[in-house]
Amino acid sequence: MTHSTPAIVILGQGSLATARRLQQVYPTALIHGLGGRVEGADRVYREFGATLRELYQQGTPIIALCAAGIVIRTLAPLLLEKGAEPPVLAVAEDGSAVVPLLGGLGGVNGMAREIAAAFEVAPAITTSGELRFGTCLLNPPSGYALGDLEAGKRFVSDLLAGHSVRVEGAAPWLAQAQLPEDPQAQHSIHVGSAERVATVNELLIYPRSVAVIVASAAEDLPERIRAALQEAQLALPALACLVAPQAQMACPVLREAALALAVPLRFVASAIDLETLARSAVPEGRLIACTQELMIAVAEQPLQVNLIGRPRGRLAVIGLGPGAAELMVPAVKAELARATDVLGYETYVRMAGPFREDQVQHCTDNREEMQRARHAFELAAQGRSVIVVSSGDPGVFAMAAAVLEALHESDDPAWHNVDLQILPGVSASLATAAQAGAPLGHDFCVMSLSDNLKPWSIIEKRLDLAAEADLALAFYNPISRSRPWQLGRALEIVAQHRAPATPVVLGRDIGRPGQTLRITTLGALTPDQVDMRTMVLVGSSTTCTFPRSDGGEWVYTPRWYGEKPGT
Ligand code: SAH
């Protein structure tokens, strides 16, 4: 996950230089600039409050270059809710002050120190324990887990009140801290993976040094794992990951167990027995046989989970929506943040960006769809997190069907084991309809007028029947240089069933810079008003228009048909 990459949020052009200096501290962080005020940001946002709250709720660390008060007031409504609290900092526009506001346990003070060091100022750290000891005892580094937060707070208060402390077990990160250490102290910090009930004056910290190897998954897996750990007298927070053979990659029980235990799931090559499997995952570990399916490996140090086998690969086919960032669904935004590889037609990949340096972009020509789909599976089968980008919705004349076709044709188990997700987007017909009113407010028919992948005769037949059935019509791919006459012929067919006054909506580049929306009629429509970036919506016999106060026109198709109900 990339959640530790902060977002830098700025409100005015005057902050851009400081934001760029922050980017030197966090090279993968993106600068979010207010639309209309900031030129040259990495991302443009419209509404400060909504943007900040969305970032916060996604758990993204926030560095806002503005007054602390603005940030506090904006996030205040969210603070009563329980949940993850990402680091939030306010930084003065000129970099002269760095104020950690929220996320004490998420490492906000550490960030404040890093930024302040780069800006050569003193961070405004107000956390007593942190000030006194130079570390947040309640926020051990990755690879370690705190036992109990409430007990931990009491423990830190005791130390602040003057108690001394001793450290039991290996705590390399505390070597830098200024703790009041005394080998005879009553208070102790205990670091170890064994299950232990904390005594009154003890702070427990668990190294994540335990892996559970699962040969085959049965129901109740989380309970079995908990029981096995308990039997081996190991603490649950010391569990670093689950490991399973690659053949089990698509097993839903494993996936759910890893979610329930909140640990990553890694896969290693299948082996003849459980011990060999465990050895290949944690070569240096002490092995404890539990049941026929479960074995525990305990290492001396926290495990480097990323180096154990590999994760299940993921392939997400996403829809960007028509273009504007506000019309992209949050699930797609989250997927873009976690991706390691992005594939797609260059225009769409650019629209989905910017990407971090560690994210690989594979741009291809628009027509190489099957090749792109296969390439995506090859990457995902290696354990990468791959995105295939479409505009609008990926299932509407776009990549989702190509990706499924590639999978259907393949008998490679590694491809079938990939975690495949299709994430929807706002399709061009719906985005265009929304701007015009509700022209698709009743039954409608969606067609691509492209005869690249289907014979023109079938298009004519469908047009004829859909027009006869009095469905409103949405035409994708209405015209192109290689298909110059087809739209004219299509309109002739529709005109055989529909009056010249029938409302028509033309949406061009909807949701993108320079978008245009035009309302006309079937009788007045000519193919030269349409290009390949246009969506054509043709009304049914009931579609009507009326003036809107800004001088334009509303178009809608009533929900009823025949006689209006209740009249
Ligand atoms: N998957 C896309 C459609 C791809 S087909 C979707 O769901 O929207 C490409 C056609 O979609 C274009 O020829 C055009 O007719 C239409 N289109 C795509 N984006 C558009 C936009 N922003 N404005 C208007 N039409 C668009």
Side-chain angles (χ1 to χ4, degrees):
M1 295 296 282
T2 50
H3 277 169
S4 49
T5 298
I8 302 165
V9 184
I10 63 176
L11 283 156
Q13 198 67 28
S15 308
L16 191 60
T18 305
R20 292 275 177 234
R21 285 168 68 201
L22 278 166
Q23 251 177 345
Q24 287 167 6
V25 184
Y26 303 105
T28 58
L30 298 177
I31 298 173
H32 300 243
L34 180 58
R37 292 280 183 79
V38 182
E39 284 284 320
D42 303 321
R43 287 264 158 96
V44 176
Y45 68 84
R46 300 255 145 127
E47 231 213 291
F48 178 76
T51 305
L52 219 60
R53 285 189 289 271
E54 188 180 312
L55 288 167
Y56 184 87
Q57 282 172 318
Q58 288 169 356
T60 308
I62 298 170
I63 307 172
L65 274 78
C66 63
I70 298 179
V71 182
I72 293 170
R73 236 172 285 123
T74 305
L75 294 178
L78 304 180
L79 299 183
L80 288 175
E81 295 168 20
K82 279 231 167 88
E85 189 181 279
V88 178
L89 299 103
V91 172
E93 222 182 45
D94 60 359
S96 62
V98 181
V99 189
L101 294 172
L102 294 168
L105 299 178
V108 75
N109 290 321
M111 287 178 70
R113 284 208 180 85
E114 285 166 359
I115 297 168
F119 288 6
E120 293 176 359
V121 296
I125 289 178
T126 53
T127 322
S128 323
E130 183 103 21
L131 278 176
R132 185 87 71 80
F133 310 132
T135 181
C136 178
L137 283 178
L138 306 181
N139 181 31
S142 74
Y144 295 87
L146 180 71
D148 180 73
L149 181 58
E150 290 311 313
K153 286 180 181 167
R154 267 197 317 277
F155 186 89
V156 173
S157 311
D158 285 352
L159 297 200
L160 285 170
H163 287 273
S164 52
V165 66
R166 63 199 154 84
V167 180
E168 293 173 357
W173 76 98
L174 290 180
Q176 316 290 331
Q178 298 99 46
L179 290 173
E181 282 194 66
D182 176 349
Q184 309 302 318
Q186 285 179 346
H187 284 68
S188 64
I189 298 171
H190 182 91
V191 186
S193 57
E195 172 74 334
R196 188 182 169 100
V197 180
T199 59
V200 190
N201 294 326
E202 201 172 46
L203 180 72
L204 294 183
I205 293 179
Y206 301 100
R208 295 186 186 275
S209 56
V210 175
V212 170
I213 294 87
V214 185
S216 67
E219 289 301 309
D220 307 336
L221 185 59
E223 288 70 38
R224 285 164 196 253
I225 291 171
R226 283 195 193 98
L229 288 171
Q230 202 169 21
E231 175 90 350
Q233 296 184 330
L234 290 166
L236 189 58
L239 181 62
C241 64
L242 302 186
V243 180
Q246 271 171 26
Q248 301 273 318
M249 209 169 242
C251 170
V253 175
L254 274 173
R255 175 202 186 113
E256 278 151 32
L259 274 176
L261 296 164
V263 290
L265 179 57
R266 309 288 299 189
F267 295 92
V268 291
S270 307
I272 31 168
D273 59 28
L274 194 51
E275 191 177 332
T276 318
L277 204 63
R279 275 272 157 261
S280 73
V282 190
E284 74 288 11
R286 171 166 65 90
L287 300 185
I288 304 167
C290 308
T291 62
Q292 286 199 315
E293 301 86 41
L294 292 186
M295 185 169 272
I296 298 176
V298 188
E300 293 284 323
Q301 304 286 324
L303 288 169
Q304 283 190 280
V305 173
N306 287 345
L307 302 181
I308 299 177
R310 61 180 192 72
R312 183 183 184 195
R314 183 171 167 103
L315 171 50
V317 192
I318 61 151
L320 296 175
E326 318 75 285
L327 294 183
M328 189 190 289
V329 306
V332 167
K333 289 185 186 170
E335 196 68 37
L336 285 168
R338 73 184 275 177
T340 57
D341 296 80
V342 185
L343 282 76
Y345 178 46
E346 198 183 337
T347 313
Y348 301 147
V349 172
R350 220 179 301 128
M351 214 157 97
F355 293 99
R356 300 184 307 268
E357 274 171 29
D358 57 315
Q359 296 179 300
V360 188
Q361 299 176 42
H362 310 260
C363 297
T364 49
D365 188 83
N366 206 7
R367 281 170 295 253
E368 297 163 8
E369 283 157 345
M370 288 311 291
Q371 216 173 303
R372 187 186 303 149
R374 287 190 282 262
H375 186 195
F377 275 110
E378 274 157 23
L379 290 168
Q382 293 163 24
R384 302 185 67 88
S385 195
V386 183
I387 277 189
V388 171
V389 186
S390 288
S391 81
D393 182 273
V396 178
F397 310 120
M399 283 305 295
V403 164
L404 285 164
E405 194 179 328
L407 183 60
H408 194 184
E409 281 171 1
S410 163
D411 49 15
D412 185 341
W415 287 26
H416 286 268
N417 275 340
V418 163
D419 179 11
L420 175 63
Q421 302 283 336
I422 319 290
L423 303 182
V426 176
S427 194
S429 56
L430 304 182
T432 303
Q435 292 209 358
L440 307 178
H442 196 77
D443 299 343
F444 65 97
C445 166
V446 168
M447 284 185 66
S448 167
L449 295 191
S450 166
D451 56 354
N452 287 341
L453 297 171
K454 60 186 167 186
W456 178 252
S457 59
I458 194 83
I459 299 178
E460 287 208 356
K461 180 172 176 189
R462 288 179 178 179
L463 278 168
D464 187 47
L465 293 173
E468 185 187 344
D470 201 20
L471 295 165
L473 305 167
F475 295 152
Y476 288 77
N477 301 313
I479 200 164
S480 77
R481 240 170 288 144
S482 58
R483 296 180 287 106
W485 56 265
Q486 284 86 336
L487 179 61
R489 176 74 193 118
L491 295 176
E492 272 171 36
I493 295 170
V494 175
Q496 286 165 11
H497 303 278
R498 236 159 263 188
T502 305
V504 167
V505 177
L506 302 178
R508 183 171 191 274
D509 280 342
I510 292 299
R512 300 181 190 171
Q515 68 162 34
T516 57
L517 185 78
R518 191 159 157 190
I519 303 196
T520 176
T521 62
L522 188 57
L525 177 62
T526 53
D528 60 292
Q529 297 161 349
V530 175
D531 68 5
M532 63 184 289
R533 282 147 64 182
T534 310
M535 183 73 232
V536 181
L537 304 179
V538 180
S540 72
S541 66
T542 59
T543 305
C544 54
T545 64
F546 65 95
R548 54 202 271 175
S549 58
D550 64 7
E553 258 183 312
W554 286 115
V555 184
Y556 76 104
T557 305
R559 295 156 300 133
W560 42 268
Y561 200 79
E563 221 163 289
K564 184 177 168 110
T567 53

